[in-house]
Amino acid sequence: MAQRLALRQLLSLTPRTLPLQGQQVLPGPLAPRVPAVHHGRAFRTSAGCRSTFNVQDGSDFQDRVVNNPKPVVVDFHAQWCGPCKILGPRLEKVVAKQEGKVLMAKVDIDDHTDLAIEYEVSAVPTVLAMKNGDVVDKFVGIKDEDQLEAFLKKLIGA
């Protein structure tokens, strides 16, 4: 009962009346017995998050991949694909190490069948390397980190 009352009081607060950081939320006998402690956590995006994005539709692919001045690695994958679940994070990690020199677009073939057909994806995972809107390299299947780094260095021209 006390938990419901506390939750109701918390939910009734409007954004203007929310307490400042470090202030107690619940007044009176429902207040926690220990002082509020700030743990220094904040939500931030890592370099990996900024350089990797999910393609939303065909026009998004055109804008963010084909028309992009930076080289883009396109990961064609599917939710049900076991090897995709291994390759995806591995590829994201290697792309993040490039510190913005290359971007990564993720395309779910079940959601974007038209793109998969257009780029002749017949198996997943398929990874395309695109530069100035053109496919310059491609591989199908799983690769280890060293092979992925070599693939990206070839794309970047480093």
Side-chain angles (χ1 to χ4, degrees):
M1 183 69 175
Q3 289 175 336
R4 284 185 185 166
L5 179 60
L7 183 60
R8 204 173 282 144
Q9 285 178 337
L10 181 63
L11 292 176
S12 68
L13 297 174
T14 63
R16 288 184 304 271
T17 61
L18 285 175
L20 295 174
Q21 187 176 13
Q23 289 181 333
Q24 292 184 353
V25 175
L26 304 173
L30 297 177
R33 300 280 182 235
V34 293
V37 177
H38 176 62
H39 294 287
R41 293 182 184 170
F43 292 105
R44 293 187 183 103
T45 57
S46 67
C49 292
R50 286 191 301 268
S51 59
T52 301
F53 57 91
N54 290 315
V55 172
Q56 304 301 315
D57 55 32
S59 64
D60 185 42
F61 186 86
Q62 188 72 27
D63 293 342
R64 295 171 82 181
V65 177
V66 176
N67 296 335
N68 203 317
K70 289 186 179 183
V72 182
V73 173
V74 185
D75 176 19
F76 285 92
H77 68 281
Q79 294 293 324
W80 46 262
C81 168
C84 299
K85 292 177 184 177
I86 296 168
L87 180 68
R90 194 179 287 174
L91 190 55
E92 286 179 34
K93 180 180 175 183
V94 175
V95 167
K97 283 183 185 177
Q98 300 302 318
E99 299 174 337
K101 294 178 191 168
V102 64
L103 302 175
M104 178 177 165
K106 298 175 79 173
V107 180
D108 188 320
I109 64 162
D110 292 326
D111 295 338
H112 306 293
T113 311
D114 53 333
L115 290 172
I117 292 169
E118 182 179 345
Y119 287 92
E120 300 173 355
V121 175
S122 57
V124 286
T126 293
V127 177
L128 306 180
M130 296 186 72
K131 209 175 213 177
N132 301 319
D134 297 321
V135 177
V136 294
D137 205 354
K138 171 182 178 173
F139 72 82
V140 178
I142 258 185
K143 301 263 186 210
D144 63 30
E145 282 190 36
D146 292 338
Q147 292 170 315
L148 292 174
E149 285 177 4
F151 181 79
L152 291 183
K153 284 181 182 174
K154 183 177 171 188
L155 173 62
I156 296 168

